[in-house]
Amino acid sequence: MKKSVVLLVIALIMNVAFLSAKELSPRKSYARTNQELTSLLSPTTAVEELENDVVVKVRVLITLTGDIVVLETSAPNEKLENYIKDSLNYKKLSTNELEAGNDYVFEVNFKA
């Protein structure tokens, strides 16, 4: 009985430690990067053909030279996916919010 109480106390302490660690490292917003990506993805005919509003998750890698490389998208059609890749691949961001060598996921809202 005494061992189970000690194990329960240890488990509670570990849970509190993990919860407080999550609060100490909040997600960054990358507001300036979002604005720059929005300007790079300015609407063209590829977007005008959408029947409904679409939210596309775009996973990008920032190379060591600072270029954007689109790794994958959740675009509903190939034309929109190609548009995103053509608009973003090998472009450089003027903001320094993203670290080179890391990949990031952004949600892009396309309005019909």
Side-chain angles (χ1 to χ4, degrees), residues 8-71:
L8 181 63
V9 170
I10 290 173
L12 286 173
I13 290 172
M14 289 178 63
N15 281 338
V16 170
F18 285 125
L19 289 176
S20 64
K22 286 183 182 177
E23 292 175 4
L24 292 177
S25 57
R27 296 181 92 176
K28 294 183 180 180
S29 67
Y30 303 115
R32 292 185 302 159
T33 302
N34 280 332
Q35 288 177 338
E36 196 165 349
L37 288 174
T38 301
S39 68
L40 288 172
L41 290 169
S42 59
T44 64
T45 57
V47 179
E48 290 175 8
E49 295 177 4
L50 294 175
E51 295 176 7
N52 300 320
D53 294 350
V54 178
V55 177
V56 178
K57 287 188 179 184
V58 180
R59 187 169 151 235
V60 298
L61 169 74
I62 305 301
T63 64
L64 297 176
T65 59
D67 295 334
I68 301 170
V69 176
V70 178
L71 299 176

